[in-house]
Amino acid sequence: MDISLKARAGYFLKRAAAFRPTRVWNFARQIADEQGKWAPPIFVDMLWSAAFRDTAYIDYYEADFALLSRSERKTFMTSLIQHHLATAVNDREDAKTLEDKINFNRAFGDFLGREWMQLDDTDAAALAAFAARHPVIIAKVPVSREGKGVFRYDTAEVTDWDAFRAELIGKGQILIEQPIVQHPYLASYCAGTVNTTRITTYFDGTTVHPLVMVQKFGRGAVSDQFTWGGFFTMLDDDGHSVGPGHTGKHKSSYLVHPESGQSIVEFQVPLWDQVLALVDQAARRIPTVPYVGWDVAVGPEAPVLIEGNWIPGLYETRVSTTGIREGSRPRHERVMGDALRR
């Protein structure tokens, strides 16, 4: 699965313009310190990989490329390859339905399993009534990534609803949602955060293909994303963990959850068949956007959809943590290989 010459040339020019030798050297030194290697060869290899192997410096680091052979590296997805796939197969205009969380909620309302409202389209009385039904609310910035636009409020002490509404609107937090109640098994890992399952799928017009499956775990914050201290473990086709969890951002390994002590290596997504059925239905809804990373929360009785990402987000195993030396690229190649040559 070779990426098109046009895409590679564009990437090379972009990387060349952003090249900062000090930043790359710092990455090389960090990798060398963590893996007991010599920094200069890693530095050269990172430059070569960026120029000729479609591998950004952060991809090189997060996927432990310094520990992998050339053939093993070819089995891993990189940011460039994934971005090119997403832009090649997904209709950019239709993808706005996924990009904007309010548009997403409208399009996938029957999969949400929760009440929501658009704050700038209603008044303070409606917000107060919503909070009376759901004293803790989730407020979101409609267009944001990595959990950065998600906030949680306990409204028990709010007395001036006009002022509270104005404050939220001023911050851009105009999507208000009912909190999700997660499955007791997931809550046993971290009750303070909804621990979500990410499944990246490709719809070929007939079949929905699950390509990457990941379980994310929070640490008590409003989101389980890395930006909030979260970590993840890769999943097999049966929804079972394939090894320890890790952050992908630094040397880390979680055999158990740091707070609850629950086993990560023995984790099994509850109601797995229902989770797969849910993303299968969701993936068919906008066929012009066939390559999507879905975030799913498993409730006590059924899974619900949180959002869809038209650029799915790069999740790969780390050999230094899991011992697994093959990535998800072969699975992508089997169903999406032609897209890279567009």
Side-chain angles (χ1 to χ4, degrees):
M1 185 169 72
D2 294 323
I3 197 165
S4 69
L5 181 61
K6 179 180 178 181
R8 177 175 283 118
Y11 172 77
F12 179 82
L13 292 174
K14 181 179 178 181
R15 298 306 303 172
F19 177 59
R20 300 292 183 273
T22 302
R23 183 169 183 265
V24 184
W25 176 246
N26 288 337
F27 262 128
R29 288 183 59 187
Q30 184 173 353
I31 293 170
D33 289 343
E34 291 181 359
Q35 300 178 0
K37 293 179 176 290
W38 193 35
I42 294 176
F43 177 77
V44 173
D45 192 31
M46 291 179 74
L47 295 179
W48 177 266
S49 297
F52 303 107
R53 295 289 180 263
D54 314 321
T55 306
Y57 311 132
I58 190 66
D59 296 339
Y60 185 102
Y61 171 56
E62 292 181 358
D64 283 333
F65 270 26
L67 297 177
L68 300 174
S69 68
R70 181 174 176 178
S71 60
E72 289 169 339
R73 294 179 185 185
K74 287 184 177 180
T75 71
F76 282 75
M77 293 290 287
T78 67
S79 299
L80 168 64
I81 295 172
Q82 186 184 73
H83 187 273
H84 182 67
L85 281 175
T87 55
V89 303
N90 290 334
D91 183 278
R92 187 64 184 87
E93 189 63 29
D94 293 348
K96 292 179 181 178
T97 300
L98 303 181
E99 196 169 58
D100 187 300
K101 293 178 175 61
I102 291 176
N103 291 339
F104 180 86
N105 280 14
R106 291 195 181 108
F108 294 88
D110 51 327
F111 297 141
L112 300 181
R114 60 192 180 277
E115 186 180 0
W116 67 278
M117 66 183 296
Q118 183 178 341
L119 193 55
D120 62 347
D121 198 34
T122 188
D123 57 19
L127 175 60
F130 187 99
R133 296 188 296 275
H134 314 292
V136 175
I137 63 171
I138 305 298
K140 298 180 178 179
V141 177
V143 180
S144 63
R145 291 180 64 85
E146 299 179 346
K148 294 178 181 178
V150 182
F151 304 87
R152 181 168 52 203
Y153 294 94
D154 187 338
T155 65
E157 297 183 1
V158 175
T159 56
D160 188 336
W161 290 97
D162 285 302
F164 183 51
R165 174 179 178 272
E167 176 189 348
L168 294 179
I169 292 176
K171 295 176 178 178
Q173 300 167 21
I174 61 173
L175 174 57
I176 308 300
E177 293 187 345
Q178 170 189 357
I180 293 171
V181 177
Q182 63 184 330
H183 193 282
Y185 176 68
L186 287 165
S188 72
Y189 278 79
C190 181
T193 305
V194 176
N195 306 287
T196 60
T197 306
R198 166 67 63 90
I199 301 181
T200 297
T201 61
Y202 177 67
F203 178 47
D204 65 10
T206 302
T207 303
V208 175
H209 303 271
L211 300 174
V212 178
M213 293 155 287
V214 170
Q215 179 62 41
K216 295 183 280 186
F217 297 95
R219 304 287 298 276
V222 67
S223 172
D224 57 13
Q225 294 281 5
F226 310 125
T227 48
W228 295 90
F231 62 95
F232 69 93
T233 184
M234 307 298 292
L235 301 170
D236 63 19
D237 289 339
D238 296 317
H240 192 278
S241 169
V242 299
H246 54 90
T247 64
K249 301 298 180 183
H250 55 76
K251 189 174 183 180
S252 59
S253 179
Y254 298 97
L255 294 172
V256 300
H257 193 285
E259 279 73 51
S260 66
Q262 288 282 79
S263 174
I264 300 300
V265 296
E266 296 176 358
F267 176 82
Q268 169 69 51
V269 178
L271 308 180
W272 180 243
D273 289 343
Q274 294 184 46
V275 170
L276 291 179
L278 175 66
V279 297
D280 186 275
Q281 294 178 65
R284 298 171 186 274
R285 180 145 298 182
I286 308 179
T288 52
V289 188
Y291 183 48
V292 179
W294 305 99
D295 281 334
V296 176
V298 182
E301 298 179 358
V304 299
L305 207 55
I306 297 179
E307 64 181 20
N309 301 271
W310 74 273
I311 298 180
L314 191 62
Y315 289 88
E316 287 283 16
T317 186
R318 297 194 79 179
V319 63
S320 61
T321 300
T322 66
I324 297 172
R325 309 185 75 90
E326 181 177 75
S328 65
R329 187 166 171 175
R331 184 173 287 208
H332 281 79
E333 289 177 340
R334 286 193 290 271
V335 297
M336 297 183 70
D338 290 342
L340 279 177
R341 288 179 283 276
R342 297 183 187 178

